[in-house]
Amino acid sequence: MASISCMSAILSFLLISIFLSVYNIEVCEAQARPPTAKGLSYTFYDKSCPKLKSIVRSELKKVFNKDIAQAAGLLRLHFHDCFVQGCDGSVLLDGSASGPGEKEAPPNLTLRPEAFKIIENLRGLLEKSCGRVVSCSDITALTARDAVFLSGGPDYEIPLGRRDGLTFATRQVTLDNLPPPSSNASTILSSLATKNLDPTDVVALSGGHTIGISHCSSFTNRLYPTQDPVMDKTFGNNLRRTCPAANTDNTTVLDIRSPNTFDNKYYVDLLNRQGLFTSDQDLYTDKRTKGIVSDFAVNQNLFFEKFVFAMLKMGQLNVLTGKQGEIRANCSVRNANNKSLLTSVVEDVVETLIEM
Ligand code: HEM
Ligand SMILES: *[C@@H]1O[C@H](CO)[C@@H](O)[C@H](O)[C@H]1NC(C)=O
Ligand SMILES: *[C@@H]1O[C@H](CO)[C@@H](O)[C@H](O)[C@H]1NC(C)=O
Ligand SMILES: *[C@@H]1O[C@H](CO)[C@@H](O)[C@H](O)[C@H]1NC(C)=O
Ligand SMILES: *[C@@H]1O[C@H](CO)[C@@H](O)[C@H](O)[C@H]1NC(C)=O
Ligand SMILES: *[C@@H]1O[C@H](CO)[C@@H](O)[C@H](O)[C@H]1NC(C)=O
């Protein structure tokens, strides 16, 4: 199908006017990307903040040169942002500093505190360069993109134009949208299917676990009281040493072969029964996903291609655009509601005048 429409694009290039054919070739190339959400575009800040991408990339290069582990934290932050209530920067909001009516504290996500600081620092740099035009949700999406590339993964463009949400999700909504690592593949597949992610997307996105770390508490259910029989024995013994008890506070890497490099070794781990979470390892047990794991384990280019496609889908989940939401002046708090503030001031003045 794809090659036929590419052919016809080339044909129309030859037959029809140059203008039309250029348009058709764009359609043909665009087939490698999922549809772009209404209101987002690949050129969104080209005029309003032309240096956006170079500022983010050069700043993150500096950050990762000091500590490459921060890349994993940023990638995970974008995933959590998008899965809960859509990619609207809601994950960045401080519970305690939230606006009126938002009483629920966000649940504990073991997200890295540094990730929030990196994003706020970038927001400040971008405001200096362009004014307050770039949303915190777009900054989060761009940091995830650069985290992948600067860790050795593919370089790719993402559509921009997300707006920041005004509310954060309740604890229950967060839990409902982020399946636990003890989930089997069936649970993961059906959970992600509700977000229009198919088995290939699920296996590709799980490849995000090619970088980063986990706390013992996220996987000791596979060690105690008895070791998950699917888990490689030596791998399990080593994990037991790192996590001598279920409540140990230690951490370990998600991909033992290349913990800081974005590559396809995570899938090689799964083939060797060295996946850390049930949600990882079971992708190589379930018939619907086993073949995809095998394919990615032997073909890194294929993994990169499917990962980018799935990230573009994930990165556009329930985005706010246009006049929805706001551009935050501080990523951890929603903007002061100046309109109602102004209204109340005016009302006070009017009242005072009437009394006089
Ligand atoms: C499919 C369901 C998923 C589950 C059940 C899951 C679960 C987890 C858990 C439990 C941790 C470790 C938390 C801790 O104990 O510190 C973790 C870490 C991580 N996850 Fe996932 N995850 C999923 C999907 C994803 C996706 C889609 C991505 C990105 C594309 C991702 C990227 C990461 C990264 C990079 C880390 C390491 C974070 C760090 O080092 O700070 N995960 N995940
Ligand atoms: C969040 O994590 C911290 C430290 O890891 C812990 O002390 C706290 O009890 C956790 N809070 C919740 C609500 O789970
Ligand atoms: C997967 O987990 C769910 C929920 O725990 C359970 O009901 C189901 O039977 C499991 N499926 C398989 C194939 O193990
Ligand atoms: C893990 O934590 C325990 C204490 O809970 C400690 O004795 C042990 O040395 C730690 N192991 C590693 C590998 O950090
Ligand atoms: C953003 O808001 C938080 C919470 O009110 C505050 O602690 C922090 O200093 C603010 N950051 C900046 C850069 O203004
Ligand atoms: C609200 O007003 C304050 C003070 O004038 C200003 O600093 C802030 O940027 C305004 N917030 C919004 C959302 O316009």
Side-chain angles (χ1 to χ4, degrees):
M1 279 303 283
S3 69
I4 288 171
S5 58
C6 287
M7 286 271 287
S8 66
I10 292 161
L11 223 82
S12 60
F13 179 83
L14 296 170
L15 297 176
I16 314 171
S17 74
I18 284 172
F19 174 79
L20 244 179
S21 59
V22 165
Y23 172 76
N24 275 345
I25 283 165
E26 262 169 27
V27 169
C28 162
E29 282 175 349
Q31 284 172 346
R33 292 170 175 170
T36 302
K38 192 167 171 288
L40 298 188
S41 103
Y42 286 86
T43 55
F44 193 83
Y45 295 107
D46 283 7
K47 290 218 174 71
S48 60
C49 198
K51 289 199 186 135
L52 167 61
K53 289 180 226 169
S54 62
I55 290 175
V56 172
R57 183 151 292 185
S58 68
E59 191 60 23
L60 288 181
K61 264 184 200 159
K62 285 186 233 159
V63 170
F64 299 158
N65 277 343
K66 277 197 209 114
D67 183 11
I68 187 62
Q70 298 307 327
L74 290 165
L75 177 56
R76 186 168 183 234
L77 195 62
H78 178 52
F79 156 55
H80 281 211
D81 188 22
C82 292
F83 262 51
V84 184
Q85 196 175 280
C87 318
D88 64 349
S90 52
V91 72
L92 305 170
L93 288 172
D94 258 5
S96 57
S98 62
E102 296 167 27
K103 298 197 174 70
E104 300 268 5
N108 209 340
L109 297 170
T110 55
L111 295 165
R112 292 177 191 256
E114 299 94 329
F116 297 90
K117 291 191 192 123
I118 294 164
I119 287 171
E120 183 58 33
N121 177 50
L122 281 169
R123 201 205 61 74
L125 292 175
L126 293 168
E127 180 161 350
K128 259 188 216 130
S129 173
C130 316
R132 199 212 303 165
V133 295
V134 184
S135 65
C136 295
S137 42
D138 271 346
I139 298 172
T140 306
L142 278 170
T143 63
R145 172 187 95 117
D146 284 356
V148 168
F149 173 64
L150 296 172
S151 300
D155 198 4
Y156 55 101
E157 294 294 327
I158 58 170
L160 297 166
R162 297 168 190 76
R163 307 264 299 173
D164 296 325
L166 304 176
T167 59
F168 60 74
T170 61
R171 182 182 183 84
Q172 195 54 48
V173 168
T174 305
L175 291 173
D176 290 348
N177 283 282
L178 294 170
S182 56
S183 312
N184 59 30
S186 288
T187 302
I188 297 288
L189 285 170
S190 56
S191 170
L192 272 63
T194 66
K195 304 194 185 304
N196 192 30
L197 296 167
D198 65 24
T200 303
D201 298 324
V202 170
V203 176
L205 286 174
S206 298
H209 291 169
T210 179
I211 55 173
I213 58 165
S214 168
H215 294 79
C216 293
S217 57
S218 298
F219 58 85
T220 41
N221 67 309
R222 300 186 70 202
L223 302 175
Y224 309 112
T226 51
Q227 187 171 314
D228 182 342
V230 178
M231 186 187 277
D232 173 72
K233 288 278 179 306
T234 311
F235 181 62
N237 289 341
N238 291 336
L239 289 179
R240 242 189 268 274
R241 227 165 289 143
T242 308
C243 310
N247 61 356
T248 315
D249 203 27
N250 294 339
T251 60
T252 192
V253 296
L254 294 176
D255 167 16
I256 51 165
R257 285 184 168 69
S258 55
N260 293 320
T261 307
F262 197 100
D263 56 17
N264 67 338
K265 293 293 192 290
Y266 161 84
Y267 302 101
V268 179
D269 298 338
L270 300 189
L271 260 53
N272 288 283
R273 303 191 296 154
Q274 294 159 331
L276 195 56
F277 307 136
T278 307
S279 62
D280 296 316
Q281 192 57 57
D282 206 43
L283 296 173
Y284 192 58
T285 304
D286 194 289
K287 283 193 199 71
R288 290 164 290 181
T289 47
K290 183 172 185 154
I292 309 170
V293 171
S294 305
D295 288 349
F296 290 171
V298 297
N299 187 345
Q300 181 163 279
N301 286 338
L302 181 68
F303 163 49
F304 281 3
E305 184 193 311
K306 301 296 183 189
F307 179 80
V308 168
F309 191 89
M311 282 293 279
L312 291 176
K313 280 173 86 172
M314 184 181 92
Q316 301 185 70
L317 286 171
N318 296 319
V319 287
L320 302 175
T321 59
K323 291 193 161 72
Q324 296 172 309
E326 63 185 9
I327 306 296
R328 274 182 218 144
N330 174 334
C331 291
S332 62
V333 285
R334 57 173 284 187
N335 295 341
N337 194 341
N338 284 7
K339 196 173 136 208
S340 63
L341 218 126
L342 197 72
T343 310
S344 71
V345 168
V346 169
E347 274 168 7
D348 283 351
V349 170
V350 169
E351 256 175 44
T352 315
L353 285 175
I354 289 171
E355 277 165 21
M356 279 162 71

